[in-house]
Amino acid sequence: MAARTGRSPRRTESLSRERIVEAAVELLDSVGEGGLTFRALTERLATGPGAIYWHVANKGELLGAATEGVVAEAVAVKPGSADAPREEIRAVAFGLFDAIAEHPWLATQLSAQLSRSPLGMVTPRIFESIGRQVRALGVPEDGWFAATSALMHYILGAAGQHAANAAIGRDLGPGVDRGSYLDSVSTAWAQLDPDEYSFTRAVAGRLREHDDREQFLAGVDFILTGITSRGATATG
């Protein structure tokens, strides 16, 4: 009689930690954090809870692993030339922006990871992906931490706000799209008191016409310009 070789390759793959995390991300995307339960996970993977607990101890660890997996993919920028750190920072920024937009639960988890679990892999992974390029820009060493922190907090904050705005937009109901919503807000801004809100009235039309991704990148560029200008002054 042939000896038993254990689980089939497909079964082994379905019960790997990577497959469990992948299924968790799928659940988070479709039903949110509240719908991510070990029962739902066992049903999706067609397995028993024991097989999942073998790889993941609890929901907190599962959320952390899902967040780390999505972030790792988002910041995986192919190395460019030595004179392209600015472009690589932009690529990391857009990777995180798109990931947060694609995964509605990610912004909340990133906030929790950065504030409650700084010893985990998420914070240093983002910090490293930006910080290496800040260093390559020629920023003096005593400015590395501040410059990288400023970029990271802007990127995550702006991307998170964009995701929140998108979620609000989805709840506005049928017949109300982004354009019509921004048009109504722009009109309201234009009608504010001209003495108290002269600046807001002046840019009201920009609100109606702006592109979210272009605005996001403009913010990254503003910070990068300040970083490089200060570095040039410090070394000049």
Side-chain angles (χ1 to χ4, degrees):
M1 179 182 294
R4 297 183 64 182
T5 58
R7 301 186 182 97
S8 68
R10 183 174 181 180
R11 184 69 170 173
T12 300
E13 181 183 353
S14 71
L15 297 178
S16 69
R17 180 180 174 89
E18 290 75 15
R19 177 62 190 120
I20 291 170
V21 172
E22 179 183 316
V25 171
E26 293 168 358
L27 277 171
L28 286 165
D29 288 347
S30 59
V31 296
E33 183 179 338
L36 178 63
T37 65
F38 275 67
R39 179 176 180 179
L41 202 54
T42 57
E43 291 176 355
R44 179 171 287 263
L45 293 171
T47 189
I52 296 176
Y53 281 114
W54 176 262
H55 295 283
V56 183
N58 50 53
K59 183 174 179 178
E61 182 181 337
L62 187 58
L63 283 167
T67 303
E68 182 183 342
V70 172
V71 166
E73 183 175 351
V75 301
V77 178
K78 293 182 179 180
S81 61
D83 60 348
R86 191 181 185 108
E87 286 70 21
E88 294 199 18
I89 288 174
R90 286 177 170 184
V92 169
F94 270 142
L96 289 167
F97 182 89
D98 290 340
I100 291 172
E102 182 180 350
H103 305 283
W105 52 273
L106 184 58
T108 299
Q109 286 305 311
L110 279 172
S111 178
Q113 289 283 324
L114 267 62
S115 61
R116 301 176 193 171
S117 305
L119 294 178
M121 292 308 299
V122 171
T123 301
R125 189 181 294 277
I126 297 173
F127 210 73
E128 182 73 16
S129 66
I130 299 171
R132 286 191 179 192
Q133 306 310 321
V134 166
R135 181 174 59 192
L137 282 170
V139 175
E141 186 173 353
D142 61 0
W144 289 354
F145 181 79
T148 303
S149 296
L151 279 164
M152 183 175 76
H153 289 303
Y154 168 76
I155 290 167
L156 297 181
Q161 186 60 57
H162 169 73
N165 292 343
I168 292 173
R170 289 191 292 269
D171 294 335
L172 291 176
V176 182
D177 58 15
R178 176 183 181 277
S180 60
Y181 175 72
L182 289 179
D183 183 69
S184 65
V185 176
S186 176
T187 300
W189 281 18
Q191 295 173 350
L192 291 170
D193 184 277
D195 294 325
E196 291 190 52
Y197 300 98
S198 60
F199 176 81
T200 303
R201 284 169 55 96
V203 300
R206 295 285 186 179
L207 175 66
R208 181 186 290 111
E209 302 165 359
H210 84 279
D211 178 273
D212 291 328
R213 289 174 65 85
E214 289 180 2
Q215 182 182 7
F216 172 74
L217 182 57
V220 173
D221 285 341
F222 281 137
I223 297 173
L224 285 172
T225 298
I227 289 171
T228 53
S229 297
R230 183 173 181 181
T233 300
T235 58

